[in-house]
Amino acid sequence: MAGGALPGFRDFYPDEFAQRAHIFRAWREVARKYAFVEYDGPPLEPLDLYTKKSGDEIAGQLYNFTDKGGREVALRPEMTPTFARMVAERANALRKPVRWFSIPQLFRYERAQRGRLREHYQLNVDIVGEGSELADAELLSVAISIMKELGLDAADVRARVSDRRLLNALLTEIGIEESRQGAVYAVLDKFARQPREVSITKLTEAGLSADMVEAVLELPTVKEISALRENLRNSATVKPHLDRLTTYFAHLHSLGVSEWVDIDLSIVRGLAYYTGIVFELFDAKGELRAICGGGRYDNLLNDLGGADLPALGFGMGDVVLGELLKERHLMPESSGTGADLFFVGGNGALEHPIGDALRLVHLLRAAGFSVDYGLSADRYQTQPTRNQVDSAKKSGARAVICFSSGTEVLVHGLAGKLKEAPAHTFASRPLLAADETAFAALKDWFAASITSRHPSND
RNA sequence: GUGAUUGUAGCUCAACUGGUUAGAGCACCGGUCUGUGGCACCGGGGGUUGCGGGUUCAAGUCCCGUCAGUCACCCCA
């Protein structure tokens, strides 16, 4: 449609905003449980923050331009460089290990597709200053706990785990020299998405012998450490890395998330800076793109900011996650205002002009209620009450309130059938006189009688 | 950036091989109904058929371009 948002950008109408808020709430709630603290940085950064170290692969998709001061700038495509700079600047002062998270809006200039827009929000969770595999286990546990928090289970989402150091050792043991390992990584990354013959061709072209090719193509099928060839498993080069992965899995088990996790040595991660355990979260059916990806990047802080600290982290975008939640009907369907009270004109509207109505609304709000009403002074007295109540229901309000006579105020619940809903009348005079005990009585009754109309959405 | 495919109201869709003022349901607005008020019914607003050209007596329908969506590449979050 013409005149809409720019391609790849989204308008968040209240319903969509509620869904976004639902995801953000889960992110923040779980981060808090794991004792991470929130930070943020600028959405606009110097261009070279991204071109210097991340390489050309990212440069072609940057949303960049020259600002009015002649500076080359870019909308941030990822948070890690900003994070690295912030940590490096205060590396000595920060208490380790650092547990930080952020929910930046990120931008990339590339053709939009399902699950990939030009803009998205991405939870970033990072740990700095801890090199042990326990930190890796803690990090993955955060990601999985978010899935749980949103109502997903181990049948919906799978975590796939690999380890760059282990993979390096395995390839070396197979006899592949380091200069050719990059090509092998590329093939492993695409192993599931391209025909086996293509993989074989590419590996052969990379200079691997038939034996090596066979050994490499076995790797993605390994589901347990014991399934590795014996000579690989027992090699002195490989063993320490296998031991670490074993310990890592033991920690995951203790943290209660091991049933979500599979070994998958074809998980490579595109970004070149990963150095250790890496992981991705996928929907179990494999219909969508990765929900989440991350791992250990022990050299990046040093390369980027000169702080020699081990670090690890993950990013989780709102787009794919949102699609999965919608598919599983785990998203709030519609928002409504959810106001406590909706004021309508009742039988007493003629005795109480709009001024009285507004005064009551004002006092109710001052007493702590959220109050909605039709913004027409005219219809307050002329529109049939039943039609006003219809509007109140559609608004999602929990109860209606009106002048039911010259001397009384009626509060009536909107949950369920109107006839069965709780209702109560209060004397209007003390309420209009801002009598505190009258409002206290109203609040008590409301709290005891009126239930939320959307108990499942909260 | 490459290729394929789609584009009618806010949403989901209709309109025979081109043929009167492009329709319906839902949603929205107003109203009616004092025993099914999260119901039924009545009425209303809203579309230069994505946009721009072309063919034709006549285009939502055919052709070209363009923009946008979707999918697959590329690549990655």
Side-chain angles (χ1 to χ4, degrees):
Chain A
M1 294 289 167
L6 286 170
F9 286 76
R10 296 169 289 175
D11 289 328
F12 289 91
Y13 289 85
D15 284 355
E16 285 101 51
F17 192 91
Q19 299 185 334
R20 184 176 110 185
H22 178 70
I23 290 173
F24 283 16
R25 209 180 301 128
W27 283 350
R28 291 202 165 95
E29 177 60 21
V30 172
R32 187 193 65 77
K33 279 185 190 168
Y34 280 81
F36 284 72
V37 290
E38 188 164 2
Y39 71 96
D40 198 2
L44 195 64
E45 291 276 20
L47 178 63
D48 63 15
L49 181 66
Y50 305 111
T51 53
K52 261 185 188 167
K53 289 293 172 186
S54 295
D56 297 335
E57 58 184 38
I58 230 170
Q61 295 165 346
L62 280 170
Y63 230 111
N64 65 305
F65 56 95
T66 308
D67 74 7
K68 290 181 181 177
R71 280 174 289 262
E72 292 296 324
V73 296
L75 291 167
R76 59 187 174 193
E78 55 168 332
M79 198 57 178
T80 304
T82 302
F83 173 74
R85 178 187 65 208
M86 290 172 67
V87 169
E89 271 181 19
R90 300 193 183 174
N92 292 330
L94 292 170
R95 183 169 43 82
K96 264 69 78 174
V98 170
R99 293 165 176 262
W100 284 7
F101 79 99
S102 188
I103 305 181
Q105 188 176 21
L106 305 179
F107 305 86
R108 310 200 80 167
Y109 196 89
E110 61 179 353
R111 190 144 169 183
Q113 297 179 39
R114 185 181 190 201
R116 289 175 75 195
L117 307 173
R118 286 182 172 177
E119 146 278 320
H120 73 147
Y121 292 90
Q122 187 190 63
L123 171 68
N124 276 247
V125 175
D126 291 274
I127 298 172
V128 174
E130 181 49 63
S132 87
E133 60 280 356
L134 176 52
D136 291 271
E138 175 88 343
L139 185 74
L140 179 52
S141 180
V142 173
I144 291 172
S145 292
I146 289 167
M147 299 300 107
K148 288 187 195 169
E149 178 75 18
L150 288 165
L152 296 161
D153 61 36
D156 297 315
V157 174
R158 302 303 302 170
R160 299 184 200 156
V161 171
S162 183
D163 186 334
R164 284 274 174 98
R165 289 162 296 192
L166 171 63
L167 197 58
N168 279 339
L170 287 168
L171 296 184
T172 300
E173 193 61 27
I174 288 169
I176 302 165
E177 53 209 80
E178 202 149 333
S179 62
R180 289 173 174 165
Q181 292 186 358
V184 176
Y185 278 10
V187 170
L188 284 176
D189 188 37
K190 289 190 179 167
F191 178 76
R193 281 171 287 153
Q194 73 187 6
R196 190 182 176 84
E197 299 76 51
V198 176
S199 297
I200 293 171
T201 306
K202 285 185 177 171
L203 289 174
T204 308
E205 282 171 1
L208 272 65
S209 70
D211 284 350
M212 292 176 185
V213 169
E214 193 191 333
V216 166
L217 291 183
E218 266 180 30
L219 294 178
T221 68
V222 169
K223 295 298 171 205
E224 290 175 46
I225 287 166
S226 59
L228 275 174
R229 289 183 184 188
E230 203 171 329
N231 62 322
L232 295 177
R233 207 161 62 226
N234 295 329
S235 121
T237 316
V238 171
K239 186 128 191 336
H241 301 299
L242 283 179
D243 289 347
R244 182 177 45 242
L245 204 58
T246 303
T247 307
Y248 172 70
F249 269 89
H251 291 326
L252 288 175
H253 182 73
S254 302
L255 287 168
V257 297
S258 58
E259 64 170 325
W260 298 65
V261 186
D262 304 315
I263 288 182
D264 188 340
L265 296 177
S266 72
I267 296 296
V268 172
R269 303 287 303 148
L271 296 173
Y273 52 62
Y274 288 109
T275 56
I277 291 174
V278 291
F279 67 89
E280 295 186 343
L281 259 53
F282 288 88
D283 69 294
K285 289 182 187 167
E287 292 169 347
L288 304 171
R289 296 167 188 281
I291 297 165
C292 166
R296 181 170 282 280
Y297 51 92
D298 282 345
N299 302 327
L300 188 68
L301 292 184
N302 203 15
D303 293 346
L304 231 43
D308 191 8
L309 288 168
L312 58 157
F314 71 77
M316 181 187 294
D318 70 313
V319 180
V320 175
L321 179 58
E323 283 170 4
L324 179 61
L325 291 173
K326 272 183 264 185
E327 244 176 48
R328 298 288 192 283
H329 304 290
L330 292 170
M331 280 287 222
E333 295 286 336
S334 71
S335 52
T337 63
D340 297 323
L341 294 167
F342 194 108
F343 187 88
V344 306
N347 293 336
L350 292 176
E351 289 100 317
H352 291 284
I354 187 69
D356 280 359
L358 296 181
R359 176 165 174 76
L360 181 59
V361 165
H362 158 67
L363 290 169
L364 286 166
R365 286 170 174 162
F369 291 100
S370 58
V371 186
D372 194 0
Y373 64 96
L375 288 171
S376 164
D378 184 34
R379 282 200 294 276
Y380 160 64
Q381 287 181 324
T382 61
Q383 188 174 42
T385 301
R386 60 168 175 271
N387 290 346
Q388 294 192 54
V389 173
D390 263 350
S391 298
K393 286 189 150 189
K394 287 176 184 171
S395 81
R398 299 165 69 186
V400 288
I401 185 166
C402 67
F403 292 115
S404 59
S405 72
T407 58
E408 286 184 324
V409 167
L410 170 68
V411 187
H412 201 310
L414 287 173
K417 291 184 180 174
L418 213 53
K419 265 193 111 165
E420 297 163 7
H424 202 265
T425 54
F426 296 86
S428 53
R429 190 181 302 271
L431 288 173
L432 287 172
D435 181 279
E436 279 182 27
T437 54
F439 277 96
L442 174 56
K443 280 170 95 166
D444 287 347
W445 178 83
F446 187 90
S449 309
I450 301 298
T451 53
S452 169
R453 296 189 61 210
H454 303 291
S456 57
N457 286 353
D458 219 60

